[in-house]
Amino acid sequence: NRGCFGACNFCALAFHQGRYIQVRSHESVIEEAKKITQMPGFKGYIHDVGGPTANFRFPACKKQLKYGHVRENSVGQALPVPICVHNIEADHTDYLNLLRELRRIEGIKKVFVRSGLRYDYMMADRNDAFFKELVEHHISGQLKVAPEHMSDNALYYMGKPSFNVYEQFRE
């Protein structure tokens, strides 16, 4: 995946990859995975599917398609997603389907997701199927997420959600 609609104040990802999400087709990823299984020395493990914004597969909401991304709030601070964007459409169905397809490829023992998971976005998805399969099939012992700070004041200036959101996710 490329791009990030999150626009956290400390992250350059939106600047060098853009604010719009771009993803490869399932067919393209599956074709590459099949080629990898044929490489000498391949031991059956795909180590990271998705990249730095792994669980973003679509625009933040339908309004983003028509009007572009939300730039900033009334005080000029970039809006973090999904906490400040009320129209967010969190849906992991497409990503989950891709991971399932990769797991079915002959020669692949395990498909990992090691980076790029926004836990606040996972919490915004009403369907918990992705989280359950992520834990069961796609982590290597411990799920790693990044609570960038514990201070709500620091998180506010970073453009990140409150630490309470992390605590809710942890629970």
Side-chain angles (χ1 to χ4, degrees):
N1 300 7
R2 291 184 54 78
C4 182
F5 49 74
C8 303
N9 294 332
F10 64 92
C11 182
L13 192 61
F15 291 106
H16 54 79
Q17 291 189 3
R19 297 279 305 270
Y20 295 95
I21 303 301
Q22 300 171 42
V23 297
R24 290 173 56 194
S25 69
H26 286 219
E27 295 77 17
S28 172
V29 175
I30 290 164
E31 181 181 322
E32 182 175 347
K34 286 179 179 178
K35 287 179 182 177
I36 290 171
T37 66
Q38 303 305 309
M39 296 174 80
F42 178 70
K43 301 204 184 318
Y45 301 98
I46 303 290
H47 289 283
D48 198 9
V49 176
T53 54
N55 61 333
F56 290 172
R57 299 268 314 159
F58 300 105
C61 65
K62 286 181 177 68
K63 287 185 176 184
Q64 187 182 30
L65 293 173
K66 185 175 182 180
Y67 302 109
H69 62 271
V70 177
R71 287 176 175 74
E72 53 192 35
N73 64 17
S74 60
V75 295
Q77 179 183 15
L79 293 171
V81 170
I83 301 307
C84 293
V85 179
H86 303 291
N87 295 318
I88 193 78
E89 295 175 9
D91 184 356
H92 292 84
T93 306
D94 184 66
Y95 188 37
L96 184 55
N97 288 337
L98 174 61
L99 293 171
R100 287 172 178 162
E101 291 176 60
L102 290 168
R103 286 196 324 247
R104 287 193 291 263
I105 296 173
E106 187 176 332
I108 293 181
K109 297 176 186 175
K110 201 80 164 159
V111 177
F112 293 112
V113 178
R114 297 191 191 276
S115 64
L117 293 174
R118 285 285 300 257
Y119 61 86
D120 52 347
Y121 187 73
M122 276 192 277
M123 290 179 61
D125 190 344
R126 298 184 196 278
N127 183 346
D128 63 356
F130 172 71
F131 183 72
K132 287 180 178 181
E133 284 196 39
L134 174 72
V135 171
E136 185 176 350
H137 297 286
H138 301 290
I139 59 173
S140 59
Q142 186 173 16
L143 178 62
K144 299 165 205 73
V145 296
E148 283 82 10
H149 211 285
M150 294 176 64
S151 163
D152 279 346
N153 189 46
L155 289 166
Y156 171 81
Y157 285 105
M158 294 168 81
K160 299 296 283 185
S162 165
F163 189 68
N164 290 336
V165 176
Y166 171 75
E167 290 290 320
Q168 291 168 1
F169 175 76
R170 189 177 58 86
E171 288 301 316

